[in-house]
Amino acid sequence: MFFLQTVAPTGGVTSNEVFDRYPDLVSSIGTDMGAFLPELVLCLGIVWVIFVDLFSKRQDSRRPGWHALGVLGLSLLTLVLGGFPSAEEAGSLFHGMVVRDGFAVFMKLLLTIGTAICVPMVMSHKDLQGRRMGEFYGLLLGSLLGMYMMASARNLLMFFMGIEFASYTSYLLTGYLKGDRKAAEGGVKYVIYGSVASGIMVYGLSILYGLTGSLDVGAVAQALIVTKASPSLLIITALLCFAGFAYKISAFPLHFWAPDVYEGAPMPFTAFLSVVSKAAGFAILIRFVVAFGAPGADGQALTLASGKVLDLDWPQILAVLAMFTMTIGNLAALWQNNFKRLLAYSSIAHAGYLLMGVAAVVPRIGAEGDPGWQPVLFYLVVYLFMNLGAFYIAQIVAARTGTEELPGFAGLGKRAPVLAVGLFLFMISLIGLPPTGGFTGKWQLLKAAWENGLHTLVLVAVTNTVISVYYYARIIKLMFLDQGDGEGYVLPVGQRTAVVLMVVPILWLGLFMDSTVHLIRSLSFAVIG
Amino acid sequence: MLLTLVTFIPLITAFVVLAIPSEKKAAIKWTALIAAIVVFLLATKLIADYRGGGENATQVFDRQVTTLLEKVQDPGRRRLMEAGVAAIKLDFETRKASDERGPADYAAAVGLTLAENDPDHGTWRSVWELSMAQGAAAAKDIRFVEYAPWIDSFNIAYFMGADGLSLPLVWLTTLLGVLCLAYSWNIEKATKAYFALFLMLQTGIVGVFLALDFFLFYVFWEVVLLPMYFLIGFWGGPRRIYAAIKFFIYTLAGSVLMLVCMLAMYFHAGYDSFNVLTLMEVARGFSHDMQYWLFLGMFVAFAIKVPIFPFHTWLPDAHVQAPTAASVVLAGVLLKMGGYGFFRFSFPLCPDAAAGNIPLWGSFNFVHFLATLGVINIVYGAFCALAQKDFKSLVAYSSVSHMGFVMLGLAALTDAGVQGAALQMFNHGLSSAMMFLIVGVIYDRAHHRNLDKFGGIGTQMPYYTGIATLGFFASLGLPGLNGFISEALVFMGAWDSQAKSAGYPLDPKFVYWALPGIVLTATYILWTVQRVFMGPMKSETYKTFPDVNFREVFALAPLGILCVVFGVWPSLILDFMNSSLSTIVQVVAAVRS
Amino acid sequence: MGNMLTDIGLGHYLIVSGILFTLGLVVVMTRRNAIGVLMGLEMLLNAAGINFVAFNRFSAPERLDGQIFVIFIIILAAAEAATALALVLNIFHRISSIHVDEARAMKG
């Protein structure tokens, strides 16, 4: 925030004067733009897909989809070519607005891959055929752009902007099927609850700003160390801010929107919300927690974390929230009959497991060495493939049976064995059974929680795992043990390949997680402050 | 390599079977059966080779430590490491002489502790882990070791090994694999999936018995779950889906507790290790508090599998609904996974709890706890069996009763008791497998299992009656048949416990309390034999029943022969297990205060 | 803080924003009319806005970042209102009502 820090409050400055007084600013923006290439590609891509749509026929609704895939591929390419910045290379862009580090690049890769998996789902979704789809892809890419910002924000303004950017586009995409009553309802509920959550968050951010006099996360964290504010004020501020993140990751107590929105939104976008949006939410939560969530280096300093409410400190609060999130998600999922709704509750439960990983790491932030984000990131990778895979198969099945209710899956094992086996693997991965990535991922989360003394949380989490068997196994039962009507069908090669492509990472991560773990451990995390 | 083959040939065959078109049922069955026979022969070779010696785990790890040390370039660091290894070894020697124990032992690892911040920390850690594993008492009996890094980030290794405890169970599993596949020749519903799942199940079970890395063990343990779920749920009886999900949830509830125990131990080990042998060494330093919870957690996991009262309620449902061959595997070897867990994990890893040094509450300690539940299992199981109208649930409850002996023998902690317990696991594997096959044979003909509606089968099916009676008497514990030996050993051990126990001396009263179980067992078995085979025929249709066919004889006869062989020549297997079992007793004896 | 009545200071602004925030929350929670909820929402955002401006003026007057933040809040609030109104209009066409309670096609 160069101009904010340097320009005096009274003196008006014209743009020419800025050039004269700060000649290096312009050139530094130029160099920073190089590292900002993936975002720029997305920005141009948004315009591009809309233009493509304008110049194509209405029936040609897939065409902008291919272009969107191209944009995503290009963005992915720039990310990969940029590589993971090492600890020395990590730093800030645009004078401290945006972070450039391994963590951000990794999250962006994850988000882009997730979106790229959703795009073919959009292209083959039957309710989204024969429409003008340029806006849909434009909004989708816009949402991804907002999530890029969430993954790399280091200024409270960027926190706010990223979340809002990702949210507004999501609201519209949820209600995209204008003729559909469920979609309309889902959209309204999403926008209302979502705006309230971000309203609360921005109020929290304003208090944080007041306590520290800065918007830069590093400066805020530094200022908090010497602040004389009361611990309860700190924790209330943290909780107000947390509302925004909790909403994004659908964590208790801001989880209630998820089922309706998931059910109302078109299936591909539900998949996007449950995976990509959640991953972005965790990215920004981690950024927030790293800056404010732990005792300072000397272990004495005050931070947001040192506040207490009801004798609970910040890691314990996160642990309690994690417990509630996973338990509520799992218990509510037991009674669901709609696949999207069931996975909505299941995704709430998984937010709880992931939150467990965050809670586990909090006490170690600020200490020397890697605090250990790796279980959370690893689980996000696994979750991406298993949940998107489940939605992908559900969409194919729903298109065949014409229903998104669970009985539509009855006898799938006989009708379409490839789909059934694929969904079976995703389900056991969601339960957390070997030999899938769901097991190794959840195992790492449990391990991290146990290592950091959250023993009760671990017991609650494993109990939840047992509860979750009941509803996941119901789908397995429907597919293989129940008789279903309907013709058997041969899967097109494309769909078959897609299923295999998503199954392979799940098994790979389940059996040979070493390389992924090493990669994630080697990510640099720009130390802010 | 041999252990890997024995474990994974079934899995690979399962995929081969899946690749065969479903119409070619004969090809599917023969592929599966041949693979099972090959695995059985390999397992037999393992048994034959085991006595011949060969490198044991101590030697393997010794060699590996040497190799590791040779790779260290810096002479100073290398000397320090050698000193650390020597200190650990010295620690073993002194401890063996004086029976001292406790965290002080770890002073020996001081050289290694110094290495915490060494850049070569990985080597230090491996040296520590392997040196510790090498010193574990159980290591000397473990042969055919396969040790390769698997997930380096968390120090998880692919560590397989077999000793006198696990090999008989592996052999039994592969034997039952062959017999069950042969018996399942008449499965027509989704043949391909059935045979593939059966083979996968076998990989899981054998893996459980052979894995010596806790993580690997857990993976195999969970792998068993799903094939069994499908076998019960798809090919089972009318209430199969209920039974399958109950089995699934019960077992998973237990295994997640084991997972928690595993994590607790991993971090308590000091240098994050999943190596079971290392953990056995480290466990000596675990506090009583730690062992208390560890024992309880693992107890629930294994007790559900055994099953021990009050965790047994899944078993009758699963058994009654499962198809015959699945029941055979379930009773024959799946329950033994629980028993094996007690031998391999609960006792060596929580020796203080096993020795009765830790009170559970008041003056009631874990020895009382196990013995009480064992006696309840014996008597309660027998009572329940007596009350059953369904032939299969009678056999299921008889399993509950028989597994009680395993608990009683273990609690006694005398040589005889522990041998009896281990032998009982093996014998029950033979006799219960036989009983379930016997039920299967009659069910295939009568299409019901109501004991009150049978009668007079003896005259119609004389060969069947002969084999069946043999199986029932083996289960009853008739002298000359295998069941007698193990039950007698358990009682002897429990009786002698006051004088000879390595742990807390068990009151002979437990033997008195268990005795009614013997009488009840005799009652329900003889009554069953009478109801099924004797008396007038209660239905005309029974006259049309053919006697046992080749397929059924092929499955039943080997089991019958083995029941006789191990009945008259128990030392054949006892000698084999002896060394491994006495190690367990010694480990516990070393900590008895 | 001096004389509460004559010296207008940071406290006054914070009290106003606090009241506004509370009112906003109450409105959001009690109103069943979607437009009403959106109005409450504006109050939440404006409460935050007042905070930012006030804090900027009183605790870090040498920089302008709080003021800039408010501009962004205003812009985003406008965008939010546009988005929300579009969606509300959409549901009004479906169910001829803008009461959130009426939107109950999905349960569970």
Side-chain angles (χ1 to χ4, degrees), chain B residues 309-329:
Chain B
F309 177 88
F311 302 107
H312 66 284
T313 56
W314 64 269
L315 179 114
D317 283 311
H319 269 313
V320 171
Q321 301 304 327
T324 302
S327 294
V328 170
V329 172

Side-chain angles (χ1 to χ4, degrees), chain A residues 271-471:
Chain A
F272 179 83
L273 271 185
S274 75
V275 175
V276 185
S277 183
K278 193 173 294 235
F282 270 99
I284 197 162
L285 177 64
I286 288 174
R287 289 264 179 227
F288 179 77
V289 164
V290 168
F292 309 125
D298 57 348
Q300 299 291 318
L302 263 176
T303 67
L304 287 193
S306 34
K308 281 201 174 194
V309 166
L310 299 172
D311 222 29
L312 292 172
D313 58 17
W314 186 231
Q316 285 167 316
I317 289 173
L318 281 179
V320 170
L321 289 173
M323 277 182 214
F324 274 105
T325 308
M326 59 179 83
T327 312
I328 288 171
N330 275 322
L331 288 181
L334 293 176
W335 321 112
Q336 301 310 321
N337 270 319
N338 178 295
F339 186 82
K340 285 199 291 191
R341 217 174 166 78
L342 186 140
L343 275 204
Y345 282 112
S346 131
S347 90
I348 294 174
H350 280 85
Y353 299 138
L354 284 158
L355 209 51
M356 170 170 74
V358 177
V361 179
V362 170
R364 294 168 69 141
I365 303 165
E368 271 195 30
D370 171 35
W373 293 110
Q374 165 256 322
V376 180
L377 298 192
F378 185 90
Y379 201 74
L380 281 173
V381 176
V382 176
Y383 185 68
L384 175 103
F385 287 107
M386 65 189 178
N387 226 35
L388 284 183
F391 273 116
Y392 182 71
I393 290 175
Q395 181 181 320
I396 299 175
V397 174
R400 294 277 178 171
T401 57
T403 171
E404 289 172 353
E405 303 293 309
L406 284 189
F409 290 88
L412 190 67
K414 210 161 200 162
R415 277 181 287 148
V418 176
L419 290 184
V421 170
L423 191 55
F424 163 75
L425 283 170
F426 296 134
M427 287 295 135
I428 64 167
S429 185
L430 284 166
I431 298 174
L433 289 178
T436 59
F439 166 68
T440 47
K442 196 184 270 181
W443 178 82
Q444 287 179 47
L445 289 172
L446 291 171
K447 177 176 160 294
W450 187 272
E451 192 172 6
N452 291 293
L454 300 170
H455 297 177
T456 319
L457 181 55
V458 169
L459 287 174
V460 172
V462 296
T463 312
N464 265 294
T465 301
V466 178
I467 296 173
S468 74
V469 167
Y470 190 79
Y471 61 87

Side-chain angles (χ1 to χ4, degrees), chain C residues 29-105:
Chain C
M29 283 176 191
T30 55
R31 283 288 158 148
R32 292 290 135 235
N33 182 317
I35 304 292
V37 177
L38 289 177
M39 288 162 72
L41 189 66
E42 293 297 318
M43 286 161 135
L44 292 182
L45 291 173
N46 285 333
I50 292 177
N51 266 357
F52 271 114
V53 178
F55 280 133
N56 194 167
R57 169 72 181 74
F58 288 98
S59 54
E62 73 282 5
R63 279 179 277 166
L64 282 177
D65 40 10
Q67 315 266 8
I68 299 283
F69 204 118
V70 175
I71 293 174
F72 276 97
I73 290 182
I74 293 168
I75 297 165
L76 287 172
E80 184 154 48
T83 314
L85 286 175
L87 287 162
V88 171
L89 199 62
N90 180 24
I91 199 165
F92 180 72
H93 285 312
R94 292 289 119 227
I95 62 173
S96 306
S97 165
I98 49 168
H99 279 249
V100 201
D101 284 357
E102 306 273 325
R104 49 173 184 241

Side-chain angles (χ1 to χ4, degrees), chain A residues 15 17 44 75 79 82 94 104 106 130 138 174 187 293 394:
Chain A
S15 57
E17 281 175 86
L44 294 176
S75 179
L79 278 172
F94 305 115
F106 182 83
T174 304

Side-chain angles (χ1 to χ4, degrees), chain A residues 374 424 428 431-435 439-440 443-444 446-448 450-451 458-459 462-463 465-466 469-470 473-474 476-477 480-483 510-514 517-518 521, chain B residues 150-154 156 189 215 218-220 222-223 225-226 229-230 233-234 240-241 244-245 248-250 252-254 256-257 259-260 262-267 272 274:
Chain A
Q374 165 256 322
F424 163 75
I428 64 167
I431 298 174
L433 289 178
F439 166 68
T440 47
W443 178 82
Q444 287 179 47
L446 291 171
K447 177 176 160 294
W450 187 272
E451 192 172 6
V458 169
L459 287 174
V462 296
T463 312
T465 301
V466 178
V469 167
Y470 190 79
R474 232 176 97 206
I476 298 177
K477 182 204 98 171
F480 293 104
L481 307 185
D482 285 0
Q483 297 297 321
L511 291 172
F512 310 102
M513 58 173 161
D514 230 18
V517 169
H518 279 306
R521 276 189 184 165
Chain B
W150 176 26
I151 302 168
D152 257 347
S153 333
F154 302 106
I156 296 166
K189 184 180 173 188
F215 188 90
Y218 186 83
V219 168
F220 280 124
E222 296 282 39
V223 162
L225 210 57
L226 284 163
Y229 168 80
F230 282 117
F234 196 75
R240 56 181 186 267
I241 289 172
I245 192 74
F248 195 162
I249 290 183
Y250 259 74
L252 192 70
V256 294
L257 278 179
L259 182 77
V260 173
M262 174 171 105
L263 289 175
M265 264 188 272
Y266 178 71
F267 291 119
D272 302 357
F274 281 116

Side-chain angles (χ1 to χ4, degrees), chain A residues 44-225:
Chain A
L44 294 176
I46 295 168
V47 183
W48 176 253
V49 286
I50 292 174
F51 261 99
V52 166
D53 189 46
L54 283 179
F55 294 110
S56 55
K57 292 194 202 84
R58 174 177 280 266
Q59 295 78 10
D60 220 7
S61 59
R62 287 189 180 197
R63 200 161 147 219
W66 289 114
H67 287 263
L69 266 185
V71 171
L72 287 171
L74 206 58
S75 179
L76 206 61
L77 189 71
T78 49
L79 278 172
V80 172
L81 289 180
F84 294 108
S86 65
E88 293 78 38
E89 290 163 352
S92 301
L93 302 179
F94 305 115
H95 295 259
M97 295 301 282
V98 169
V99 187
R100 178 169 181 272
D101 60 5
F103 173 79
V105 174
F106 182 83
M107 287 311 297
K108 286 175 193 171
L109 276 175
L110 197 69
L111 299 170
T112 317
I113 292 171
T115 314
I117 296 175
C118 291
V119 170
M121 285 176 72
V122 178
M123 284 159 66
S124 59
H125 194 275
K126 69 173 170 26
D127 292 347
L128 296 171
Q129 302 295 325
R131 288 169 180 265
R132 286 239 164 262
M133 290 298 290
E135 297 149 44
F136 193 101
Y137 295 111
L139 289 169
L140 197 66
L141 294 179
S143 195
L144 182 64
L145 180 61
M147 289 170 189
Y148 272 22
M149 290 199 245
M150 286 165 76
S152 56
R154 79 159 279 182
N155 186 292
L156 295 185
L157 183 56
M158 289 304 292
F159 273 52
F160 182 54
M161 289 274 288
I163 289 187
E164 296 299 282
F165 206 108
S167 298
Y168 294 168
T169 44
S170 301
Y171 304 150
L172 291 170
L173 286 169
T174 304
Y176 196 81
L177 291 172
K178 275 187 285 190
D180 187 77
R181 178 169 169 182
K182 281 185 175 180
E185 279 191 32
V188 168
K189 285 180 182 168
Y190 197 20
V191 72
I192 286 177
Y193 297 142
S195 316
V196 171
S198 60
I200 295 172
M201 180 191 73
V202 75
Y203 192 74
L205 293 180
S206 74
I207 298 178
L208 199 55
Y209 171 67
L211 289 171
T212 59
S214 174
L215 285 177
D216 182 78
V217 169
V220 172
Q222 287 297 319
L224 281 173
I225 293 172

Side-chain angles (χ1 to χ4, degrees), chain B residues 106-169:
Chain B
Y106 297 110
V110 139
L112 297 170
T113 319
L114 286 174
E116 193 65 63
N117 294 319
D118 195 280
D120 207 6
H121 183 63
T123 314
W124 283 106
R125 212 208 62 84
S126 301
V127 167
W128 169 80
E129 179 177 314
L130 296 178
S131 308
M132 293 293 272
Q134 178 194 346
K140 67 180 191 314
D141 293 319
I142 290 172
R143 296 188 204 285
F144 312 114
V145 173
E146 281 163 34
Y147 187 93
W150 176 26
I151 302 168
D152 257 347
S153 333
F154 302 106
N155 310 319
I156 296 166
Y158 174 76
F159 178 19
M160 308 275 268
D163 66 357
L165 179 61
S166 52
L167 263 186
L169 293 170

